[in-house]
Amino acid sequence: MTSLVLRARSDLLCSMPKRFAATASASQAKEARRNLKESVRVTKLDNGVVIASLENYSPISRVAAVLNTGSRDESHTEQGSTHALRVFSNLATRNFSSFGITRNLDQIGAQLSISSTRESTTYLLESTRNNTSRGVDILSEIISRPQLRHWEIDDARSRLEFELDVYDQQPELKIVEMIHKASFKNALSNSLYAPRFNVANLKSELLSDFREKNFTSNRLTLVGLGMQHDDLIRYADQFRLPSGSPSRQTAQYHSSELREENLDDLVHVAVSAEGVSQSSKEVLASALASHAFGSVYSRIKYSNGATRLSRSVLPLAREAAGVTSFNANYSDAGLFGFHLVGNTNDIGKLVKGLYQELNQVAKNGFSNEEIIRAKISLKSSLANSLESSQGFLDALIKGSDHIDADQVLQSVDAVQANDVNAFVKRIASSKHSLAAVGDLSQLPRLDELRA
Amino acid sequence: MAQLKATLTFAKKLAEAGVIKGVSSQGLNKALFPLSKYLKYGLLSDDLMKENELIKEALRRLPADVYQERQYRLARAINLSSGKSVLPESEWTKPEQDVSYLKPFIEQVVNEQKEREDWNAGRFQ
């Protein structure tokens, strides 16, 4: 034990003179940093659990238990189960009461958060290093041994309904769910939010059946940041999940139109086409196409935006409007499209203008400067996300090659302009889907827009 | 048996889980059992608990069918008592039927309250 401590200290003493010497070169400094840098360690257990950790010497330890299941695994009767399990995750477990979970986490100063996407659910524990084991006690209980007591669920159902009430007030969230519902036949068409018609059915037995089927050990990845790999392997024992291997439906794209009418004069419209999956060769080309058109990453505060879409489409509107592109890459499918917001009287012109611009890019392609600008935009958003611990964890979950910033930036640079333009050409000519919410009196149907 | 079936199956599940041990009338209580009056009305000993806040919360946690059977037994007993009669002997509660279905929930509520008081008083685990 003593020798380990001394060894670490002597490394520090060796590298410090190198760093502070007046004649230290950049490469020497990099060498010094590399001595302190640990690498990602990955272990795969017999029951299918993957354990990955990186020691970054941070005073905060982060343990993320990621389950490769989300709203896409819900069957027709189970719709909303992931939302319910997300809301009900603070309820009693076998060894902790709901009150006990909150107070124990407060006492050790830890934070536990749950976020779920269509394909995965992440339970993240952040605590100081000496309290991690107590935090993991609670984390493992929540994931593997929740009791789902029927009276606690009845009491907590109003929280679920409150979340739905808040969601109803946010058409920008609703349009995302609607465009997925319009674009996919199954799996990815399931909403992240529980449909109201099913809320009363989300009872204890249904939720525990869903957990039994989908929360299996071969779907669990334990990721640790700021901790020793051996500790994380020990913690993995506490996460005992059923050992099934559930099958997953392949998501199928189809073209359809979903319109929700109300009297809001701020209309949200989304138009989409079939994109590419995460394992596709074109995944970076799809991201670049989105950045080249103008995405949420291209925001300039308080301005109307200087993106290609803002410059060409927004002048067609009399009132304030917004237009961006979006790109989603899922494990076996993808979605690429555009999101427009505008006044009732403008929205028809805006969508027609968007189609003109899309066809223009499909015909002529992006210019070299636009591709270079898109590459810079994508590289900076990827590098920025690696700066935050949350973004770093997300990248680590994807794989240890995603956290090497240099490698990531190089792969973006390697994409050719032709790849991006070919992708856009395909998007422009493929079958589209439309989703719209608001006062749709001036919005033509999808077939009229494309004609 | 419509007034006891769900309660007995539920109590069997609790016994298998190790939460309750056998029936309410054990040991000394077993000797006193034939002298009690409640069995003549077809009630179980857990049916006799006086309702306070604690018992109300424990009752809220009962599964629906167990709770309905309890209500049936209480209504029948009130009816009998108002008519100053009892059930025929064949329908009296047997000792092995006198399961403590409510005890685990009462213990759970008491433990939760104790945990809350402990934390608020600063007695951390």
Side-chain angles (χ1 to χ4, degrees):
Chain A
M1 263 258 285
T2 333
S3 56
L4 275 169
V5 172
L6 278 173
R7 211 180 300 143
R9 234 184 260 151
S10 65
D11 273 339
L12 274 169
L13 287 171
C14 278
S15 57
M16 271 175 27
K18 281 186 195 154
R19 282 221 303 272
F20 289 116
T23 53
S25 63
S27 61
Q28 274 186 328
K30 203 172 180 183
E31 199 58 42
R33 270 204 305 281
R34 207 171 274 148
N35 288 338
L36 292 176
K37 193 173 168 177
E38 303 280 340
S39 55
V40 176
R41 294 181 56 186
V42 183
T43 312
K44 189 159 177 178
L45 297 182
D46 291 332
N47 55 6
V49 179
V50 177
I51 303 174
S53 78
L54 174 66
E55 173 68 275
N56 62 357
Y57 299 108
S58 158
I60 306 270
S61 284
R62 292 176 171 90
V63 181
V66 185
L67 277 148
N68 194 16
T69 178
S71 60
R72 71 173 291 169
D73 295 315
E74 292 167 5
S75 72
H76 181 68
T77 46
E78 292 168 340
Q79 281 183 80
S81 302
T82 39
H83 188 191
L85 284 169
R86 193 166 73 232
V87 173
F88 300 152
S89 46
N90 74 321
L91 300 181
T93 66
R94 192 184 297 166
N95 296 319
F96 286 93
S97 68
S98 170
F99 176 80
I101 288 173
T102 317
R103 282 304 191 105
N104 274 301
L105 286 174
D106 282 348
Q107 190 64 17
I108 61 177
Q111 268 185 330
L112 183 59
S113 58
I114 295 125
S115 68
S116 45
T117 68
R118 282 168 224 282
E119 300 199 301
S120 75
T121 309
T122 306
Y123 295 77
L124 174 66
L125 171 79
E126 296 170 287
S127 70
T128 48
R129 294 190 90 122
N130 50 341
N131 285 319
T132 314
S133 62
R134 193 142 174 75
V136 171
D137 287 342
I138 297 173
L139 179 70
S140 57
E141 285 273 315
I142 286 176
I143 294 173
S144 4
R145 291 171 284 276
Q147 297 248 293
L148 294 171
R149 296 173 180 165
H150 68 265
W151 63 91
E152 288 195 340
I153 288 183
D154 285 338
D155 290 343
R157 195 169 279 123
S158 56
R159 259 194 291 142
L160 181 64
E161 286 171 3
F162 175 73
E163 277 202 17
L164 292 178
D165 288 338
V166 173
Y167 165 71
D168 279 339
Q169 302 295 320
Q170 293 172 294
E172 60 271 15
L173 293 181
K174 205 174 252 200
I175 198 72
V176 177
E177 304 304 316
M178 282 172 70
I179 192 64
H180 279 85
K181 196 141 210 114
S183 310
F184 291 104
K185 262 189 195 165
N186 60 351
L188 292 171
S189 66
N190 286 338
S191 170
L192 289 171
Y193 294 88
R196 281 196 195 264
F197 60 76
N198 215 27
V199 169
N201 295 336
L202 295 171
K203 292 200 162 103
S204 179
E205 294 88 40
L206 186 108
L207 292 176
S208 55
D209 282 343
F210 181 80
R211 272 185 47 87
E212 196 64 34
K213 260 193 299 178
N214 289 297
F215 281 45
T216 57
S217 6
N218 66 341
R219 277 182 166 171
L220 176 66
T221 307
L222 278 176
V223 182
L225 198 60
M227 58 195 315
Q228 295 291 312
H229 195 66
D230 299 319
D231 286 339
L232 195 55
I233 296 180
R234 257 189 315 117
Y235 294 148
D237 273 340
Q238 296 173 267
F239 291 83
R240 277 189 217 117
L241 291 173
S243 61
S245 29
S247 60
R248 199 174 239 190
Q249 281 183 321
T250 317
Q252 292 167 305
Y253 177 87
H254 73 158
S255 156
S256 77
E257 196 172 344
L258 192 61
R259 297 162 78 103
E260 185 176 308
E261 290 209 48
N262 55 38
L263 293 174
D264 278 341
D265 56 2
L266 192 67
V267 181
H268 288 253
V269 175
V271 177
S272 72
E274 187 171 11
V276 291
S277 74
Q278 281 165 358
S279 50
S280 156
K281 292 190 309 278
E282 291 184 280
V283 63
L284 285 174
S286 64
L288 279 172
S290 174
H291 279 257
F293 272 118
S295 65
V296 291
Y297 301 100
S298 338
R299 258 196 317 243
I300 298 174
K301 246 182 173 177
Y302 311 124
S303 91
N304 218 11
T307 65
R308 172 132 188 186
L309 286 176
S310 334
R311 283 198 312 263
S312 52
V313 177
L314 290 187
L316 299 167
R318 288 254 299 276
E319 311 279 337
V323 57
T324 61
S325 68
F326 65 83
N327 174 48
N329 307 106
Y330 298 106
S331 60
D332 60 354
L335 204 61
F336 185 92
F338 303 91
H339 178 194
L340 303 100
V341 187
N343 187 276
T344 317
N345 301 316
D346 290 331
I347 197 72
K349 290 176 251 171
L350 283 170
V351 182
K352 286 210 171 92
L354 169 74
Y355 265 104
Q356 273 179 350
E357 194 59 27
L358 176 62
N359 292 327
Q360 183 87 304
V361 176
K363 200 168 73 171
N364 305 329
F366 287 115
S367 70
N368 279 329
E369 285 128 29
E370 286 178 318
I371 298 280
I372 290 171
R373 237 196 334 266
K375 282 188 179 172
I376 293 173
S377 173
L378 178 60
K379 282 194 292 187
S380 64
S381 77
L382 288 171
N384 267 326
S385 78
L386 286 176
E387 294 280 306
S388 78
S389 59
Q390 182 67 61
F392 191 84
L393 266 172
D394 287 339
L396 187 55
I397 288 162
K398 288 208 189 98
S400 38
D401 45 342
H402 284 86
I403 60 166
D404 185 347
D406 293 323
Q407 203 179 342
V408 167
L409 300 182
Q410 267 169 19
S411 51
V412 173
D413 276 327
V415 179
Q416 304 291 325
N418 296 337
D419 298 333
V420 181
N421 291 328
F423 177 78
V424 177
K425 236 193 185 88
R426 207 178 62 237
I427 294 290
S429 56
S430 63
K431 289 213 195 107
H432 291 178
S433 308
L434 179 101
V437 59
D439 183 344
L440 307 179
S441 50
Q442 310 283 332
L443 180 69
R445 299 266 160 184
L446 183 60
D447 43 2
E448 295 168 57
L449 287 166
R450 293 204 72 177
Chain B
M1 276 289 269
Q3 70 280 17
L4 272 178
K5 202 158 107 192
T7 317
L8 289 175
T9 17
F10 182 64
K12 206 154 140 217
K13 268 201 293 200
L14 288 176
E16 275 165 23
V19 180
I20 57 173
K21 291 191 260 297
V23 294
S24 298
S25 40
Q26 279 179 329
L28 182 62
N29 286 340
K30 193 164 180 195
L32 294 173
F33 183 76
L35 303 171
S36 323
K37 270 190 87 177
Y38 66 86
L39 57 103
K40 296 185 185 163
Y41 292 96
L43 291 172
L44 308 183
S45 57
D46 273 3
D47 293 341
L48 302 172
M49 296 204 157
K50 235 183 185 160
E51 277 203 21
N52 54 25
E53 285 303 322
L54 196 85
I55 305 290
K56 277 212 190 87
E57 177 60 29
L59 285 172
R60 197 174 74 95
R61 298 181 181 203
L62 280 177
D65 45 4
V66 178
Y67 182 74
Q68 279 160 14
E69 286 194 349
R70 173 200 161 92
Q71 295 301 91
Y72 175 83
R73 285 195 302 273
L74 286 172
R76 185 180 58 180
I78 289 169
N79 239 343
L80 289 168
S81 144
S82 67
K84 296 203 202 311
S85 67
V86 289
L87 287 174
E89 216 172 314
S90 59
E91 291 181 35
W92 289 0
T93 315
K94 318 269 183 312
E96 61 273 5
Q97 288 175 337
D98 191 4
V99 290
S100 51
Y101 61 89
L102 196 56
K103 190 150 91 67
F105 293 102
I106 297 172
E107 277 174 6
Q108 196 180 67
V109 177
V110 167
N111 283 337
E112 280 179 16
Q113 243 174 25
K114 185 167 176 304
E115 185 187 20
R116 216 173 283 257
E117 281 164 13
D118 277 347
W119 274 96
N120 286 332
R123 288 187 291 272
F124 309 128
Q125 294 153 296

